[in-house]
Amino acid sequence: MSEPSQGFRPDIEGLRALAVAGVVAFHFGLTGLPGGFAGVDIFFVISGYLITRHLVAEMSSTGRLDLLRFYARRARRLLPAALFVILATLAFGVIVLSPEEQALYSKGAMFASAYMINLWLIRWSFDYFANDAASNPFIHYWSLSVEEQFYLAWPALLMLAAWLKPGRRAIVLAIGIAGLVSFAVCAWLTTVSQPWAFYFSPLRAWEFAAGGLASLAPAWLLAKRPRLGLGFGLAGLAMIAFAYLTFSEDSPFPGFLALVPVAGTVLLLLAGAAGVGNGISSRNSERKTAGHFSRNCVNAFLALPPLQWVGRLSYSLYLWHWPVIVYAGMLTTELSVPQRLICLGLTLALSVLTYHLIENPIRRNGWLMANAARALVPALLLTGTGVAAAYGNARLAVHDLDPEQREIAASAAEPATARASACVQDYFTVRPAPCVFGTGRRAIALFGDSHADHWSTPLIEAARKDGYRVETWLKSSCRASRFTFFVAKLKRNYSECDQWREQAIKEIIQAKPALVVISELALTSSRKMAEGKREPDTSDAAWQAGLRSTLTTLSNAGLKIAFIRDVPFNDEHIDTCVARALWRGGTPSLCDQARADAANDKMAAVEREIVTSVPNASYVDLTDRFCNATTCHVFIDGKLAFRDQHHLATPFAESLEPEVEKRVISKVGR
């Protein structure tokens, strides 16, 4: 095997440009690239390729690895720019974010500074009521955390392989086994628990391994077969283009789908290695390298000056693009195309300044390069500074908090009575586990998803006053209506809900409650949440048939039913909107919604017709407590009405107890 080239590779710089362009285009929404997020996978393969190539070359020439020198290079390359962007993002957040948001996202900055935010996001992604990830200005640091964790483990794997059996064959075998195990578990967990497959670094190791194996491939094989090299290059570009154009954030990713951009990147790296031949010694030889590349149109394309320029800026572009677009979206409800272009221009300007003033000067500083300690000691201090600054900002943000802000935060955080008692079952449970509230002789059943749960607080209190107990059959995102639907968190149809629902209906019939109270997320609301995504939709006919089927089954069993109309749907998280409005000197009314957009009146009319057509079923409409003829309010009688976009804030729900007693409990009849 030939030694891998240690010189500058224009094709890799061009690949970096393609990777960051995909990510930025995806987040900025400027092009039709719904799969642009796969650019991160390109970065992973490139990192695996370069790091493996470097480490194996050092082991081959010296028989050892200078780990301190290796980590010093990584620190000079990555840490200064990353920390600068973290501190700048924290500083601007004081202006844009509410105090509670500052506290929350400062925790993200703390984990980002320590390169562990991917682990924090795994836990955060399972929180049903977590703020939308699109508002987290540090979420993009997850990929940098995965890379840094790779840098910690990868040298150890290579050294272990070399120690067990010297030679490249053992290293190839070790990388191959690690990659296969990582991919197998990743593919399985993508369908079972996608956040683990997405964020957990050992389950992304196979992408780095793919790059590592590519770095060990004999370049001379393709160098002697230029047509094959060209074919590899064209196929690689086509695979990346296919991923960018056809994948979406609702695809079951990474899993098997990630093979497409990973394989495409590997093919391009192999084609590039063949085009370079024995390589060149320095960046100053770019013109000579471009001459080598002229034999391959794909490599020549990747070596084009615009792509080289973007590739050089790719790290700074990746760091800056996300906080810029996130904060812009917070300051303007709906960003227009010209505004997005301005954000792109700002991102480019900040990236150029960061590259020329921070990233490149520190990376190539002669004093820091002299020995490892000169880079590692400042690196540790910088990391500690980032962690300390983020922690301090989190504490200061909520220190001596304004009473209004404190009340909003408390209202949004307080769970409904059933959820507080762990009576809302998770996504994966298929056997109902009903809870009982109260000791009344007769029972009222509460049945549905989290939109039934948020009525549990006033219903349980109203039932207690009238001598009833409440028994709950509640499951996250599981409507009572009999139809199968797609759940974005699971990236698939919600089969567990179908199983759970049928058993719950049987148990409710057996329990013979005096009244079954049902409420669920309106189909119109779920469609609004899916806007701009490629999620499978449920037809109106399927929803109508499913609703009628559930109601008819319960009615035929002799049960009375009260179906509570869903609450208005808001275009943003109301707790956050109100907190920001007050923080900026505004009023909660800035967050009010037009009734035509929020109330789902047309579908509610269809829903009412179905419910009232079923014997023993009544339709309960409390929309007048939220909306007048034109506007739906979010702050009512001095209380926050919603904890997010579409769930009632519990203190406000509690205030509706008289209405629930009057309009719901009365359906039992006496």
Side-chain angles (χ1 to χ4, degrees), residues 75-117:
R76 292 197 316 270
R77 171 75 175 87
L78 301 175
L79 189 59
L83 180 62
F84 176 71
V85 175
I86 286 173
L87 295 178
T89 304
L90 283 173
F92 196 71
V94 174
I95 303 171
V96 178
L97 302 171
S98 69
E100 284 292 328
E101 287 179 293
Q102 292 175 45
L104 173 63
Y105 297 138
S106 291
K107 293 177 184 176
M110 184 171 65
F111 283 99
S113 299
Y115 290 102
M116 293 191 297
I117 193 172

Side-chain angles (χ1 to χ4, degrees), residues 443-608:
I444 293 175
L446 179 61
F447 178 33
D449 54 17
S450 60
H451 284 232
D453 166 58
H454 64 201
W455 291 109
S456 65
T457 299
L459 179 66
I460 289 169
E461 180 59 22
R464 183 190 64 79
K465 289 182 178 179
D466 283 11
Y468 294 94
R469 69 181 185 275
V470 173
E471 298 181 9
T472 62
W473 280 265
L474 302 169
K475 179 174 171 65
S476 290
S477 299
C478 186
R479 294 178 174 94
S481 297
R482 279 171 160 156
F483 65 94
T484 301
F485 51 90
F486 181 90
V487 171
K489 278 184 176 286
L490 300 176
K491 310 290 185 184
R492 58 177 171 81
N493 284 340
Y494 196 6
S495 59
E496 294 91 341
C497 174
D498 295 336
Q499 297 176 60
W500 179 91
R501 183 194 302 118
E502 291 308 309
Q503 185 60 34
I505 290 173
K506 290 179 183 178
E507 292 183 9
I508 292 170
I509 291 173
Q510 291 171 358
K512 297 181 179 179
L515 178 69
V516 181
V517 178
I518 297 175
S519 192
E520 61 188 24
L521 176 68
L523 185 61
T524 307
S525 296
S526 61
R527 284 173 176 168
K528 289 177 181 177
M529 288 190 285
E531 282 180 0
K533 303 176 182 179
R534 297 188 176 185
E535 295 181 8
D537 190 19
T538 300
S539 68
D540 288 0
W543 161 67
Q544 293 172 25
L547 174 58
R548 189 181 300 277
S549 175
T550 295
L551 297 177
T552 301
T553 299
L554 295 172
S555 175
N556 289 343
L559 300 179
K560 294 182 178 180
I561 307 151
F563 190 100
I564 303 178
R565 176 181 172 176
D566 195 18
V567 298
F569 183 90
N570 305 285
D571 60 12
E572 56 185 315
H573 287 252
I574 294 305
D575 58 323
T576 301
C577 180
V578 171
R580 286 180 192 163
L582 294 173
W583 179 247
R584 299 170 191 169
T587 64
S589 62
L590 292 170
C591 304
D592 287 347
Q593 311 283 309
R595 176 166 183 147
D597 297 327
N600 303 322
D601 285 325
K602 289 184 178 179
M603 186 159 283
V606 176
E607 189 176 66
R608 180 192 298 271

Side-chain angles (χ1 to χ4, degrees), residues 19-304:
V20 78
V23 174
V24 172
F26 170 70
H27 286 146
F28 276 48
L30 289 172
T31 61
L33 296 179
F37 58 84
V40 171
D41 302 85
I42 298 175
F43 279 127
F44 286 166
V45 178
I46 292 173
S47 292
Y49 182 91
L50 293 175
I51 295 304
T52 304
R53 185 180 69 162
H54 169 80
L55 293 176
V56 171
E58 183 177 345
M59 291 168 63
S60 299
S61 61
T62 67
R64 58 186 292 273
L65 282 180
D66 188 341
L67 291 179
L68 291 180
R69 186 163 167 263
F70 169 74
Y71 290 123
R73 281 197 302 270
R74 295 296 89 207
R76 292 197 316 270
R77 171 75 175 87
L78 301 175
L79 189 59
L83 180 62
F84 176 71
V85 175
I86 286 173
L87 295 178
T89 304
L90 283 173
F92 196 71
V94 174
I95 303 171
V96 178
L97 302 171
S98 69
E100 284 292 328
E101 287 179 293
Q102 292 175 45
L104 173 63
Y105 297 138
S106 291
K107 293 177 184 176
M110 184 171 65
F111 283 99
S113 299
Y115 290 102
M116 293 191 297
I117 193 172
N118 60 318
L119 304 178
W120 183 62
L121 289 169
I122 290 173
R123 183 203 63 80
W124 201 38
S125 65
F126 284 114
D127 181 356
Y128 185 81
F129 287 109
N131 281 344
D132 191 346
S135 299
N136 184 343
F138 301 101
I139 195 171
H140 63 312
Y141 275 80
W142 76 268
S143 64
L144 304 181
S145 297
V146 168
E147 267 197 53
E148 287 299 322
Q149 291 157 24
F150 161 75
Y151 296 146
L152 289 175
W154 205 244
L157 174 68
L158 299 186
M159 288 191 296
L160 176 63
W163 177 74
L164 290 173
K165 188 175 181 180
R168 289 198 177 188
R169 186 171 297 177
I171 292 175
V172 170
L173 184 62
I175 293 175
I177 292 173
L180 284 173
V181 172
S182 170
F183 174 74
V185 180
C186 176
W188 170 65
L189 276 179
T190 297
T191 61
V192 175
S193 185
Q194 190 261 354
W196 279 95
F198 194 91
Y199 290 122
F200 194 41
S201 52
L203 304 185
R204 290 295 193 126
W206 67 273
E207 301 184 35
F208 296 93
L213 290 175
S215 75
L216 299 175
W220 58 267
L221 286 176
L222 285 178
K224 292 183 177 180
R225 298 171 177 82
R227 290 184 179 179
L228 183 60
L230 176 61
F232 275 22
L234 291 172
L237 278 181
M239 294 173 84
I240 290 173
F242 178 81
Y244 281 7
L245 292 169
T246 65
F247 292 0
S248 76
E249 58 188 314
D250 300 308
S251 302
F253 197 87
F256 285 99
L257 287 181
L259 284 170
V260 177
V262 168
T265 307
V266 167
L267 290 175
L268 284 165
L269 288 169
L270 291 174
V276 170
N278 292 325
I280 353 229
S281 59
S282 72
R283 181 180 288 271
N284 293 328
S285 303
E286 289 184 31
R287 290 184 181 178
K288 183 178 178 183
T289 304
H292 283 280
F293 272 50
S294 64
R295 293 177 299 171
N296 185 321
C297 63
V298 174
N299 291 337
F301 164 71
L302 293 174
L304 288 173

